[in-house]
Amino acid sequence: MGHLTFALLRVLSLLLVTQSVFAMVLFNATDLGILLEKYLDDDGDWMVEKQRSKRAITASDMQAILDLHNKLRGQVYPQASNMEYMVWDTELERSAQEWAETCLWEHGPAGLLPQIGQNLGVHWGRYRPPTSHVQAWYDEVKDYSFPYPQECNPHCPFRCSGPVCTHYTQLVWATSSRIGCAINVCYNMNVWGQIWAKAVYLACNYSPKGNWWGYAPYKPGAPCSACPPSYGGMCKENLCYKGEGTNRQSPREETDERNSIEPETPHSPGPRLQAPSPTRRPNAVVSNEQMSQIVTCDTKLRDQCKGTTCNRYECPAGCLDSMAKVIGTVYYDMQSSICRAGIHYGVIDNDGGWMDVTRQGRKDFFIKSYKNGLQSLGKYQSANAFTVSKVSVKAITCETTVAVLCPYQKPTRHCPRIYCPRNCQQENPHLSRVIGTKMYSDKSSICRSAIHAGVLSNESGGYVDVMPTDNRNLYISSYQNGIVSESLQNPAGGKAFRVFAVI
């Protein structure tokens, strides 16, 4: 099974021995938009929004990945005598899609890995085709000496440093004749401790599984001289080939039907992942309510705060080109564009992103200035003001409480965006209490409260937002999503909080 590879913003030295690194060019919103458009559903929503409109991968990307695999498999050196022609498998594609949608930078799921091989790649910034990852996997051949995979295996205790070759060996494993891949765009993906705002995640699953310790990926010899009997002696471009008359699953022309993955019964035996449906188990609650508000470049805080909370905003790319006004420096008039104020202050750039806003009451005047490519206006009369700040991200444990993470104080500060680990549902309830329903006591575990509230999956973990609220005199107990919360009446001190989904 291949180890993880990824592209960084700029050329870096090798960070981990199990990881191959290659250069990354600066972000270009227009180029990334080309890729993002391909993975929206017909209504323009993200894949995660609608179960019936998901697009795992386009037909063109599918064909390009498959063709490059077969091309590279046919040119190995020394030549392979038993290298099989690779075909597309829709079940492997579905399993790759479900894993890519978790946005976890690790191999998985654990229950399927004994049956499949897997290569992963991720990048952000300027558009790059998915085949660039496939080529990077193959390029590990430079550090591989046939037929000794241990020469390039960094795993202890045999070896604890050195390059990685296991992407390459999985790609050219002779008997791995089926492949299925998926692409997902992940917001705020945690890649080895770095948060990538718009990561493009590629997962490829292979069957039968390759990379068995102590075995070479293929048999050397004249091409097709040692093909399995099932191929009938046919050969194509140095690969064992069954011809066009077989019932293999090959890429089809892209249609809406082809790219809409319906929840259906598997067509054939074999591993198939299916996320548990919340409606299939009792006491299940699912909430997609978000604290972060999606705004445009022209949205003013004065307009956005009417009857709503004013905490966290998601800004699009390209706001430098907007003509919306920004009034002030550091303190901004409520009639200012939220996103352009964020660019002016430097908490986001023209690529967009998340930012926090704090209302500051009335200020006597507002100063004009030119910062970060944007000219703000001055105003010499009093008006309500706001400040902007970066959205920090913090990974926590299942036991972490709001009282510990963001204690309440004046002036109020924003809680960071939180990344919860998997499987917090099983944690000791005495150490990871959940007090309340929908509104939780700040002595509660944040991650277990998020599972209880239905904004987070226990199986995958992920990001949540936390909003402080006024203290409650009564917290009500309930059983939701496998967690029993506690009731509490007239607590001494402390505050309440709500948890929100991050989609």
Side-chain angles (χ1 to χ4, degrees):
M1 177 175 62
H3 297 280
L4 307 179
T5 60
F6 63 94
L8 293 179
L9 183 62
R10 48 192 173 277
V11 180
L12 299 175
S13 59
L14 197 66
L15 294 180
L16 290 178
V17 294
T18 59
Q19 168 184 333
S20 96
V21 180
F22 53 93
M24 184 66 220
V25 291
L26 293 177
F27 177 85
N28 181 294
T30 302
D31 289 339
L32 181 59
I34 296 171
L35 178 101
L36 300 187
E37 286 177 3
K38 296 198 297 184
Y39 294 99
L40 299 177
D41 65 24
D42 294 335
D43 296 324
D45 294 325
W46 292 107
M47 290 186 296
V48 295
E49 298 282 344
K50 296 183 179 180
Q51 287 295 323
R52 295 191 175 185
S53 299
K54 293 179 181 176
R55 310 190 72 168
I57 193 167
T58 64
S60 58
D61 284 342
M62 182 194 310
Q63 190 68 59
I65 289 173
L66 181 62
D67 289 347
L68 183 56
H69 271 77
N70 281 319
K71 175 185 175 182
L72 297 173
R73 287 164 67 86
Q75 68 182 36
V76 294
Y77 183 83
Q79 289 184 312
S81 63
N82 66 330
M83 186 71 71
E84 298 179 36
Y85 187 91
M86 191 170 275
V87 298
W88 196 265
D89 188 296
T90 54
E91 294 302 320
L92 289 173
E93 176 190 340
R94 287 187 177 105
S95 65
Q97 176 189 6
E98 294 189 27
W99 183 248
E101 288 179 354
T102 69
C103 294
L104 294 174
W105 185 231
E106 58 187 69
H107 286 290
L112 191 59
L113 293 178
Q115 289 80 44
I116 65 164
Q118 188 176 73
N119 279 344
L120 304 176
V122 65
H123 71 271
W124 70 286
R126 180 172 296 173
Y127 168 72
R128 63 172 65 237
T131 49
S132 65
H133 291 294
V134 177
Q135 187 64 55
W137 298 336
Y138 183 85
D139 289 345
E140 292 173 1
V141 67
K142 69 182 185 300
D143 296 314
Y144 177 70
S145 300
F146 185 91
Y148 304 110
Q150 64 269 26
E151 292 298 325
C152 203
N153 193 317
H155 282 300
C156 299
F158 303 101
R159 193 170 185 174
C160 298
S161 63
V164 175
C165 295
T166 46
H167 297 98
Y168 166 76
T169 51
Q170 176 59 79
L171 194 157
V172 300
W173 202 268
T175 57
S176 294
S177 60
R178 300 195 303 278
I179 184 176
C181 304
I183 295 172
N184 187 39
V185 179
C186 298
Y187 276 75
N188 275 7
M189 185 174 177
N190 188 327
V191 181
W192 294 117
Q194 295 187 10
I195 304 301
W196 291 6
K198 298 172 184 176
V200 181
Y201 193 17
L202 170 67
C204 286
N205 288 346
Y206 301 83
S207 182
K209 175 183 173 66
N211 282 345
W212 295 104
W213 180 258
Y215 289 84
Y218 57 85
K219 297 177 183 178
C224 300
S225 62
C227 291
S230 60
Y231 284 88
M234 296 187 67
C235 188
K236 178 180 180 180
E237 299 174 348
N238 296 333
L239 303 174
C240 305
Y241 184 65
K242 289 185 178 179
E244 298 296 333
T246 66
N247 60 358
R248 63 190 175 91
Q249 293 175 305
S250 58
R252 293 172 285 174
E253 182 179 355
E254 182 181 2
T255 64
D256 290 339
E257 180 181 355
R258 175 72 187 94
N259 288 291
S260 296
I261 308 301
E262 299 286 345
E264 58 190 11
T265 303
H267 300 298
S268 58
R272 165 99 189 272
L273 294 179
Q274 187 169 3
S277 170
T279 60
R280 295 180 186 173
R281 68 177 193 266
N283 307 106
V285 174
V286 176
S287 173
N288 291 322
E289 186 178 3
Q290 296 187 76
M291 184 180 85
S292 180
Q293 301 180 53
I294 300 175
V295 294
T296 69
C297 298
D298 299 332
T299 303
K300 302 173 184 177
L301 189 64
R302 178 194 64 186
D303 300 328
Q304 195 67 15
C305 270
K306 291 180 178 178
T308 64
T309 57
C310 308
N311 289 326
R312 189 159 289 169
Y313 297 92
E314 179 182 348
C315 293
C319 288
L320 267 178
D321 300 326
S322 168
M323 300 302 292
K325 294 187 297 184
V326 176
I327 304 170
T329 300
V330 180
Y331 294 97
Y332 298 97
D333 184 281
M334 293 283 286
Q335 297 186 58
S336 299
S337 156
I338 300 170
C339 298
R340 282 170 58 81
I343 294 175
H344 184 265
Y345 194 69
V347 299
I348 62 171
D349 55 25
N350 200 40
D351 296 332
W354 284 272
M355 54 180 283
D356 283 337
V357 165
T358 303
R359 299 184 68 172
Q360 299 289 346
R362 296 189 74 84
K363 296 296 176 183
D364 293 333
F365 57 88
F366 299 86
I367 301 172
K368 69 178 181 180
S369 66
Y370 181 82
K371 297 178 66 177
N372 300 311
L374 197 154
Q375 177 67 56
S376 70
L377 304 175
K379 181 177 178 179
Y380 295 96
Q381 63 186 59
S382 66
N384 287 324
F386 68 94
T387 56
V388 295
S389 58
K390 288 182 179 290
V391 175
S392 61
V393 179
K394 185 175 180 61
I396 64 174
T397 68
C398 299
E399 295 82 15
T400 305
T401 66
V402 171
V404 171
L405 183 69
C406 41
Y408 298 95
Q409 59 188 41
K410 296 291 184 178
T412 302
R413 66 173 183 168
H414 295 275
C415 291
R417 174 158 287 174
I418 293 161
Y419 183 82
C420 289
R422 291 176 290 173
N423 299 323
C424 285
Q425 183 188 77
Q426 289 78 26
E427 287 293 308
N428 187 334
H430 299 293
L431 299 177
S432 305
R433 301 171 67 189
V434 177
I435 304 169
T437 299
K438 195 170 183 179
M439 295 287 186
Y440 299 93
S441 163
D442 67 348
K443 297 178 177 61
S444 302
S445 156
I446 298 171
C447 297
R448 298 189 77 235
S449 297
I451 296 171
H452 183 267
V455 302
L456 189 69
S457 164
N458 175 64
E459 291 78 14
S460 61
Y463 293 94
V464 296
D465 279 334
V466 171
M467 179 186 291
T469 64
D470 290 336
N471 193 21
R472 291 292 189 269
N473 293 326
L474 175 64
Y475 296 95
I476 301 173
S477 65
S478 65
Y479 173 62
Q480 294 181 173
N481 301 323
I483 293 178
V484 179
S485 69
E486 304 174 39
S487 61
L488 184 64
Q489 189 170 2
N490 296 320
K495 290 285 186 178
F497 71 94
R498 292 183 62 191
V499 284
F500 292 85
V502 175
I503 297 176

